[in-house]
Amino acid sequence: MVGVGIVGIGSYVPPKIMTNEDLENIVDTSNKWIVEKTGIIERRISEPDVCTSDLAVFAAIKAMKMAKIKPEDIDMIILATSSPDVPLSSTAGITQNKLGCINASAFDINAVCAGWIHALEIGTKFTADNNYENILVIGAETYSRIVNWKDRSTCVLFGDGAGAAVLQKVEDGKGILGTWIKSDGSGANVIQIPAGGVRKSLSSDRFVEGEQYFQMNGRAVWDFAIDAMPEAVINVLKRVNRDLSEVDMIIPHQANLNIIKEGMKKLNLPMKKTFINLQKYGNTAGASVPIALSEAVSEGKIKSGDLVVTVAFGGGLAWGANAMIW
Ligand code: ACO
């Protein structure tokens, strides 16, 4: 028996910083409100000529470097995003071309903020197959282009970035132990972009200004998220026959510090068993978990042999968690 594990991980955020004070000049908000309600202090914003695939490329190069492999060694690219470069073709394919992964298949998946959690499970299953050696699992988002900069209830929450992992077969008992994922499509309109798909195209005469942007019922998401985070952690541990007391580190979706505190409280785990970087980047949606995992590893917060749980929740509604031995 062999396992599948992450042998390389990397992240990238654009250099341009937008602080809460900068936002005070754009919408009717305050640093105090944003910090108290979310814990976010600043976020990164892509330059106009930078797309989601560019962020993905930078993160993937770092992950491949750590894994000591070349672009042509990659057999598959799975890219989780809800802010693609274009509705069609896939951002994974555009990324493949920019990276020069000439031997790879490439496709996107969209489970919004829980996208990378789902992508890791798909990548794990493919890597276990003998036809695949190296799989890139990327989460990349450019929410600065899909939020409505006139809507203070959402634009203050998000930022841009990407995280990437290289999966390979590893010694049995190491690597990814299992995944638990779930959806509730009855909540599809709790977080949405109403227009731009086929239901209401941007050229439709039924299209109303503002509907091309991200919209969210924040209170409904809060109520969902504070239960979804502990539920996913508990269920993935049950699936892999591990106990909460054995967990060394929880890497949560960096949506909101207060949600993470509430989730950790429900799990009865101390905050020192989690990793937080949302104060620097805001919510980077499907990129937030791989960015946080990458930074936790590079800062030495995760050591070889640690039991790590990655967990996310968001649009779909979709949520889930992966358990792994680092
Ligand atoms: N600055 C100042 N005031 C604001 C702002 C702002 N940026 N945004 C809203 N307000 C005001 C509202 O208008 C409201 O004013 P009122 O009382 O006069 O009507 C007041 O603040 C309270 O608004 P609420 O929406 O009730 O605030 P709440 O306590 O629910 O906090 C928040 C809002 C932070 C968004 C919270 O609901 C939350 O975190 N929800 C979860 C969101 C989330 O995690 N999404 C992630 C999943 S989606 C994804 O990741 C893609």
Side-chain angles (χ1 to χ4, degrees), residues 53 77 79 81 84-96 106-109:
S53 60
I77 299 173
L79 193 146
T81 190
D85 285 13
V86 288
L88 182 171
S89 296
S90 77
T91 303
I94 299 168
T95 302
Q96 176 204 12
F107 58 94
D108 289 358
I109 73 134

Side-chain angles (χ1 to χ4, degrees), residues 29 33 37 113 152 191 216 218-219 221 253 255-256 259 283:
T29 191
W33 190 96
K37 291 278 188 182
C113 300
R152 68 175 182 173
I191 299 169
M216 176 174 72
R219 188 44 66 171
V221 176
H253 173 38
N256 181 326
I259 291 176
N283 179 348

Side-chain angles (χ1 to χ4, degrees), residues 62-77:
K62 291 183 187 175
M64 290 190 292
K65 188 171 177 207
M66 183 173 164
K68 298 190 178 68
I69 56 168
K70 299 186 291 299
E72 48 275 33
D73 298 327
I74 296 293
D75 300 305
M76 179 180 284
I77 299 173

